Amino acid sequence: MIGRLDTVVIDCPDPRALARFYIELLGMHVVQDEDDWVLIRTDSDAPSLAFQKAPDLLPPQWPDPDRPQQFHLDVRVDDIDKAEQRALAAGAKRLDGGGDSFRVYADPVGHPFCLVW
């Protein structure tokens, strides 16, 4: 195992509004609220849901392949350098972007995911 699923991140035009919907649907609560990012979870150690601002997002239209499902996974790791080596060896590709606490990758068919620590 390289890491554990930490967060499913959903792009949306209004993170707070979509978070409110999922709070009602799933009984979760807000644990982080920033201008373009809202994170919700239960009281357990289960993965979280995050809502990331994407103001020009064209919403998915199931099952239209021109407007596919839109989300990415955050995978929590203890050692980012070791995790990156293993992810790359498994077929991931490092992508541009990232920050102080995450790096961005694509899976073997191009779906983005982040290693977070």
Side-chain angles (χ1 to χ4, degrees):
M1 177 176 83
I2 295 171
R4 67 177 176 85
L5 179 61
D6 186 64
T7 307
V8 175
V9 181
I10 301 172
D11 288 353
C12 59
D14 185 344
R16 287 183 183 103
L18 195 55
R20 283 191 300 272
F21 168 80
Y22 279 98
I23 287 167
E24 179 68 22
L25 183 69
L26 302 172
M28 297 174 134
H29 61 274
V30 174
V31 294
Q32 184 178 0
D33 186 342
E34 298 177 8
D35 290 337
D36 58 358
W37 177 271
V38 178
L39 181 75
I40 66 173
R41 75 167 56 112
T42 64
D43 290 327
S44 73
D45 194 28
S48 304
L49 284 177
F51 306 93
Q52 177 173 274
K53 187 169 187 142
D56 299 325
L57 177 77
L58 296 174
Q61 290 184 328
W62 183 262
D64 184 349
D66 292 330
R67 303 270 292 273
Q69 299 176 60
Q70 302 158 358
F71 73 95
H72 74 269
L73 301 177
D74 281 354
V75 178
R76 171 116 3 233
V77 298
D78 293 324
D79 183 322
I80 185 60
D81 295 319
K82 287 181 183 177
E84 177 176 83
Q85 289 175 354
R86 292 183 65 192
L88 295 174
K93 177 182 175 187
R94 178 89 185 261
L95 300 177
D96 291 338
D100 292 339
S101 61
F102 69 98
R103 294 182 189 166
V104 184
Y105 304 84
D107 70 16
V109 297
H111 301 110
F113 69 94
C114 295
L115 295 180
V116 301
W117 66 95

